[in-house]
């Protein structure tokens, strides 16, 4: 067992008994490592129940009943250095008073055990936890308020020594450019498979989504984003990256946030955008009352300013949901076009008119928020760091750009062209 390295096991599908659900299964070797890990804690384990696993990545979580009450045992599927970033973040947020599960130190008084090439953690099992309602605004408001609290408590986090920093703060340009490129792939694929009836329908609407993406990206390029990121990663804190009804649940004192494995530095309200747009997609209609209620609840917990509101609006306006639903075309074009595209496209198109009606009215709400504040010291400090080593800071500058010695003397054109990697 000492040489066993944990990895994905989704390739075992054909070797397991019929009816085995991979998400409710872990290899025997992994389970043996789990027992070895538990022996490194001051606790008696009476039984353990596999809650879920990630067979395609090599992760799992168990509920364990111990002489200290119920606890959670989890193997983090990412590289240990990346997982250390998440462990450090969770511990930092516990110390800030966030509603996230607290770690149980092991016999060596460390927060994790490394075994099988992965990090393992034991935390409190928070109970009772209950998903808030998806069918009324009250549930969405609670979820968004909890998200704002989570983001507020994450501000100021610095990762521990040896952790691999995870940051998406400087990557928004690349994100949008990637999606625009892939929408172009969708068009190319539909053209190649033009004999498929649904291909013609996709081709008839794809120009509109391409234009939508290009227009919003142009607006993004002149947005406050490039000033906002000068505040730096610790100022903005962490985004959960996978926040929703399952990872934010009502518990003692409010919304508890779980599964922090994927946290990363970012403009954290991107979590809010994902929650809003996915909720509108599930509803099949962009409801302005819901959107305002969700933003208002978040704002009450973690105040947003006019620049943040503008970028949130831009991110909502980008055709994220179109991309999310159509991207499967890349993996098996014939199957997707023959059997899946038609109902998906019908659903996406059905929400478009209400989306733009809601966003047009919502845009006026920007005036309700306070103007953004930037100190000259913050911006000059960041520009000086970038000037010294732009590559290490994750910044790609246009060819020929000269970063001035006096950072704030940069022209508006240079600011707008500062493009994240």
């Amino acid at each position: 067992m000492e040489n066993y390295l944990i990895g994905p096991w989704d390739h075992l599908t054909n070797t397991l008994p019929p009816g085995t659900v991979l998400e409710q299964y872990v290899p025997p070797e992994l389970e043996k490592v789990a027992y070895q890990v538990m022996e490194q804690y001051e606790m008696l384990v009476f039984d353990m129940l596999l809650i879920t696993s990630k067979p395609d990545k090599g992760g799992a979580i168990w509920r364990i009943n111990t002489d200290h009450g119920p606890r959670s045992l989890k193997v983090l599927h990412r590289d240990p250095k990346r997982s250390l970033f998440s462990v450090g973040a969770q511990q930092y947020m516990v110390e800030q008073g966030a509603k996230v599960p607290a770690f149980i130190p092991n016999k060596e008084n460390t927060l994790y055990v490394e075994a099988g090439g992965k990090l393992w953690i034991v935390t409190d099992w928070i109970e009772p936890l209950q998903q808030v309602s998806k069918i009324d605004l009250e549930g969405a408001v609670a979820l968004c308020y909890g998200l704002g609290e989570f983001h507020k408590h994450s501000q100021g986090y610095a990762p521990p020594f040896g952790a691999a920093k995870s940051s998406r703060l400087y990557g928004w340009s690349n994100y949008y450019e990637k999606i625009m490129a892939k929408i172009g792939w969708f068009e190319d694929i539909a053209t190649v498979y033009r004999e498929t009836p649904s291909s013609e329908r996709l081709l008839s609407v794809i120009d509109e989504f391409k234009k939508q993406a290009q227009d919003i990206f142009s607006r993004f390029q002149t947005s406050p984003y490039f000033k906002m990121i000068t505040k730096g990663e610790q100022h903005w804190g962490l985004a959960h990256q996978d926040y929703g009804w399952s990872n934010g649940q009502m518990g003692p004192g409010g919304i508890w946030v779980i599964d922090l494995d994927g946290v990363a530095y970012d403009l954290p309200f991107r979590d809010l955008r994902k929650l809003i747009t996915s909720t509108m997609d599930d509803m099949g209609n962009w409801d302005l009352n819901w959107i305002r209620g969700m933003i208002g609840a978040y704002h009450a917990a973690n105040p947003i300013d006019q620049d943040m509101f503008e970028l949130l609006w831009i991110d909502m306006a980008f055709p994220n949901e179109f991309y999310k639903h159509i991207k499967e075309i890349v993996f098996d074009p014939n199957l997707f076009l023959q059997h899946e595209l038609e109902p998906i496209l019908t659903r996406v198109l059905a929400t478009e008119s209400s989306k733009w009606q809601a966003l047009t009215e919502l845009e006026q709400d920007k005036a309700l928020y306070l103007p953004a504040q930037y100190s000259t010291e913050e911006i000059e400090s960041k520009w000086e760091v970038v000037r010294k080593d732009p590559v290490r800071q994750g910044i790609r500058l246009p060819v020929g750009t000269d970063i001035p010695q006096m950072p704030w003397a940069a022209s508006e054109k240079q600011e707008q062209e500062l493009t994240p990697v």
Side-chain angles (χ1 to χ4, degrees):
M1 292 304 299
E2 292 181 1
N3 298 322
Y4 175 68
L5 293 178
I6 301 167
W9 56 86
D10 52 343
H11 62 284
L12 299 176
T13 303
N14 297 327
T15 66
L16 297 173
T20 300
V21 178
L22 280 179
E23 289 74 18
Q24 294 296 319
Y25 170 84
V26 296
E29 296 86 354
L30 177 57
E31 193 167 283
K32 289 179 181 178
V33 176
Y35 280 104
Q36 293 172 1
V37 168
M38 289 187 289
E39 289 175 357
Q40 299 187 46
Y41 288 82
E42 293 284 1
M43 61 184 181
L44 294 176
V45 179
F46 304 129
D47 57 66
M48 59 190 296
L49 174 67
L50 178 65
I51 302 302
T52 189
S53 70
K54 294 183 177 180
D56 59 330
K57 297 177 180 178
I61 181 170
W62 293 262
R63 174 187 166 121
I64 56 176
N65 288 314
T66 78
D67 57 337
H68 295 282
R71 289 176 171 176
S72 167
L73 170 68
K74 189 171 188 177
V75 54
L76 306 178
H77 70 266
R78 290 176 171 83
D79 176 82
K81 289 184 178 181
R82 170 63 180 86
S83 292
L84 183 56
F85 179 88
S86 302
V87 169
Q90 188 163 339
Q91 177 63 17
Y92 174 80
M93 297 183 72
V94 168
E95 294 168 355
Q96 302 307 306
K99 297 182 183 70
V100 299
F103 290 107
I104 308 299
N106 59 32
K107 293 177 182 178
E108 302 297 324
N109 201 34
T110 59
L111 302 179
Y112 60 86
V113 170
E114 186 165 358
K118 303 290 184 183
L119 296 193
W120 295 70
I121 56 174
V122 174
T123 66
D124 290 333
W125 186 274
I126 308 301
E127 57 182 3
L129 284 182
Q130 183 177 4
Q131 290 191 21
V132 296
S133 173
K134 290 185 177 183
I135 62 174
D136 57 56
L137 180 54
E138 183 179 354
V141 162
L143 202 61
C144 291
Y145 186 86
L147 179 62
E149 287 185 315
F150 176 82
H151 289 160
K152 186 76 173 176
H153 284 114
S154 76
Q155 294 169 5
Y157 169 61
F161 177 78
K165 184 178 70 174
S166 178
S167 180
R168 300 185 181 186
L169 179 64
Y170 306 111
W172 283 48
S173 289
N174 271 7
Y175 170 80
Y176 290 135
E177 289 171 340
K178 179 193 76 173
I179 290 182
M180 289 190 293
K182 289 190 176 181
I183 291 176
W185 296 0
F186 301 165
E187 183 176 29
D188 293 341
I189 292 170
T191 300
V192 170
Y193 289 84
R194 199 155 198 156
E195 71 281 359
T196 306
S198 59
S199 295
E200 286 295 341
R201 190 174 183 210
L202 178 57
L203 289 170
S204 71
V205 301
I206 205 162
D207 280 346
E208 178 57 34
F209 286 103
K210 286 172 63 178
K211 182 178 185 302
Q212 190 182 113
Q214 290 162 357
D215 289 347
I216 298 302
F217 183 65
S218 294
R219 178 163 172 174
F220 165 76
Q221 290 178 302
T222 60
S223 76
Y225 169 77
F226 299 98
K227 284 185 179 180
M228 294 169 73
I229 61 176
T230 64
K231 288 178 174 285
E233 292 161 334
Q234 291 185 33
H235 170 87
W236 291 107
L238 303 164
H240 186 281
Q241 305 294 344
D242 190 28
Y243 186 79
W245 269 263
S246 60
N247 289 335
Q249 296 192 32
M250 186 62 70
I255 293 291
W256 285 73
V257 182
I258 57 178
D259 291 343
L260 278 66
D261 310 13
V263 294
Y265 288 123
D266 204 345
L267 296 176
F269 52 83
R270 172 155 273 179
D271 281 341
L272 178 62
R273 189 279 294 169
K274 292 177 181 178
L275 187 60
I276 291 173
T277 56
S278 64
T279 299
M280 297 302 103
D281 183 55
D282 289 343
M283 292 171 62
N285 176 63
W286 282 59
D287 188 309
L288 185 59
N289 185 51
W290 272 61
I291 296 171
R292 282 175 168 157
M294 294 171 78
I295 295 174
Y298 180 91
H299 174 67
N302 188 31
I304 64 177
D305 58 35
Q306 290 184 3
D307 285 359
M308 295 165 68
F309 184 89
E310 180 176 347
L311 203 58
L312 175 64
W313 188 96
I314 287 171
D315 208 30
M316 284 194 286
F318 201 77
N320 299 289
E321 302 308 306
F322 172 77
Y323 166 73
K324 181 176 76 173
H325 290 304
I326 307 299
K327 67 180 181 181
E328 297 300 318
I329 193 175
V330 173
F331 303 106
D332 192 336
N334 192 51
L335 175 66
F336 186 81
L337 289 166
Q338 290 279 5
H339 303 288
E340 300 175 23
L341 175 62
E342 195 67 34
I344 288 175
L345 198 54
T346 297
R347 180 182 178 84
V348 169
L349 295 175
T351 65
E352 276 298 291
S353 60
S354 63
K355 171 182 176 177
W356 289 105
Q357 182 179 350
L359 288 180
T360 299
E361 191 169 344
L362 179 69
E363 190 173 11
Q364 308 309 311
D365 289 4
K366 177 180 174 180
L368 301 176
Y369 297 88
L370 292 175
Q373 299 294 324
Y374 300 92
S375 71
T376 302
E377 291 78 13
E378 280 180 328
I379 297 173
E380 287 186 351
S381 174
K382 183 64 179 182
W383 271 79
E384 183 62 19
V385 171
V386 172
R387 186 188 67 78
K388 290 178 179 177
D389 195 349
V391 174
R392 183 169 294 178
Q393 293 304 311
I395 302 294
R396 184 179 73 243
L397 300 176
V399 175
T401 299
D402 178 36
I403 303 179
Q405 292 289 336
M406 293 298 292
W408 197 235
S411 68
E412 288 296 317
K413 183 173 186 295
Q414 284 174 320
E415 285 187 54
Q416 293 166 9
E417 289 179 346
L418 193 66
T419 305
V421 173

